Amino acid sequence: MTKIAAVTDDGKTISQHFGRAQHYLVCTVEDGRITKTELREKVSHHHGHGHDHDHDHDHGHGQGHGQGSGAEAKHNQMLASITDCEALLARGMGRGAYQSLANAGIRPVVTDIRAIEDAVQAYIDGSIVDHVEKLH
């Protein structure tokens, strides 16, 4: 049995941006097929800040999006509800989030497949492409 998470806002499609997604859809895979799905809450990148703008973190010193002081702790908070998953599927994310996932033992995959079930099936089949060039 394997669990694969995807970031989502609607429970059906993979969100464009890891940090802004509201939920994870966790798919349980047995014998090469999805046997169960579960919608889990995800702490968003801007959760609890009391204001709504795109960038509340430091971009100084030549670091990429979502890197630097405090970013890893924030990412670990976001990952707390999927520590039982083997992989996380997203359609875009920052390098810091990608690295935090890898550090947590969760394989990050940036896919261009929109439908969660199709992307999970591609992951199971080994045909999914990790588009690391889309990291920002």
Side-chain angles (χ1 to χ4, degrees), residues 7-134:
V7 289
T8 186
D9 289 314
D10 62 9
K12 295 178 180 7
T13 57
I14 298 175
S15 295
Q16 189 71 46
H17 194 284
F18 167 75
R20 294 194 190 111
Q22 301 295 307
H23 306 282
Y24 294 112
L25 186 72
V26 176
C27 300
T28 302
V29 176
E30 296 177 88
D31 300 322
R33 63 186 187 85
I34 298 169
T35 56
K36 184 177 136 192
T37 60
E38 176 189 356
L39 198 64
R40 296 185 187 174
E41 281 300 309
K42 176 185 161 294
V43 175
S44 74
H45 207 36
H46 304 288
H47 179 79
H49 290 290
H51 56 265
D52 187 28
H53 63 82
D54 283 352
H55 297 285
D56 63 340
H57 44 263
D58 184 11
H59 279 274
H61 311 300
Q63 293 179 313
H65 184 77
Q67 293 178 308
S69 63
E72 186 157 6
K74 199 177 286 187
H75 293 144
N76 289 339
Q77 231 182 344
M78 286 191 246
L79 304 179
S81 62
I82 58 163
T83 55
D84 59 335
C85 296
E86 172 182 304
L88 172 89
L89 311 178
R91 288 180 40 234
M93 73 175 73
R95 292 184 189 282
Y98 192 91
Q99 194 57 53
S100 291
L101 280 155
N103 292 347
I106 301 168
R107 179 183 168 195
V109 179
V110 179
T111 182
D112 54 6
I113 302 170
R114 290 180 57 95
I116 293 172
E117 288 193 17
D118 293 347
V120 169
Q121 197 59 55
Y123 180 87
I124 296 164
D125 298 343
S127 63
I128 200 161
V129 176
D130 187 8
H131 289 280
V132 290
E133 75 277 4
K134 291 186 178 186

